[in-house]
Amino acid sequence: MNKIFTTRHLLAGLMVGCFDIAAACIQYFISTGKNPQGVLMYVASGVFGKQAFEGGTMIVISGLIFHFMIAMSFTFLFFALVSWFPNLLTQKMLLVILYGIFMWAFVRFCIMPFSLINPPPFKLKNAAIAAMILMVCISLPLSLIAGRELKQADSQ
């Protein structure tokens, strides 16, 4: 795994970004019964503030673009970390859990405070659900892809 940023990593980022936004929209719909576009308006509100909740196609598209920028950043960081420290892949489940918690915490405590979003009050249940979505939809698939890449590199 010498190359950190490859076409495969770009495709992996798109894939996990799709998994993550789909899971977030499903969870939002189940818990609120509201249109899942609210998820993308919330993401866009980080840049556009309360105006984002007025909706519109451009707001929803902007939220989707911002979401994928964040998902791609976490994807490339993941592949960089396992490239620099391949032993991380020896404990995949621990890596999945810790990277999911890291992603949640980074968004909650580093991205949100510098955005125009007023984060909702902390609730353990909501934090656990969000972290689980990140574990299942992002860090688990990325660890499987990275593990496969490492095996292929070792066999060559």
Side-chain angles (χ1 to χ4, degrees):
M1 285 187 30
N2 294 341
K3 294 182 181 177
I4 297 171
F5 307 112
T6 66
T7 303
R8 182 182 287 182
H9 299 153
L10 178 65
L11 294 173
L14 290 172
M15 178 187 72
V16 299
C18 287
F19 290 165
D20 180 50
I21 199 63
C25 287
I26 291 167
Q27 190 272 333
Y28 178 79
F29 178 75
I30 289 170
S31 64
T32 67
K34 295 180 182 177
N35 186 324
Q37 285 183 349
V39 173
L40 296 173
M41 290 187 292
Y42 182 74
V43 173
S45 73
V47 172
F48 300 116
K50 291 181 182 179
Q51 287 178 294
F53 295 105
E54 294 170 12
T57 303
M58 290 311 296
I59 290 294
V60 172
I61 290 171
S62 295
L64 192 60
I65 290 169
F66 299 149
H67 162 75
F68 274 100
M69 288 170 57
I70 294 167
M72 286 297 193
S73 297
F74 282 128
T75 296
F76 289 143
L77 176 61
F78 182 90
F79 283 115
L81 288 171
V82 298
S83 176
W84 298 326
F85 307 105
N87 288 338
L88 289 173
L89 292 170
T90 61
Q91 298 292 323
K92 279 191 184 127
M93 287 314 297
L94 182 60
L95 177 61
V96 165
I97 292 166
L98 292 177
Y99 200 68
I101 293 168
F102 164 76
M103 287 184 289
W104 174 83
F106 189 84
V107 169
R108 175 70 185 201
F109 299 113
C110 296
I111 294 177
M112 285 184 168
F114 294 104
S115 71
L116 297 178
I117 293 175
N118 289 325
F122 178 82
K123 293 183 181 171
L124 184 59
K125 178 183 173 187
N126 294 345
I129 290 169
M132 289 296 289
I133 287 173
L134 293 168
M135 289 174 205
V136 171
C137 295
I138 296 182
S139 55
L140 178 60
L142 292 180
S143 71
L144 295 173
I145 292 167
R148 190 172 5 173
E149 284 185 358
L150 189 61
K151 282 182 187 176
Q152 287 174 351
D154 288 344
S155 69
Q156 293 176 355

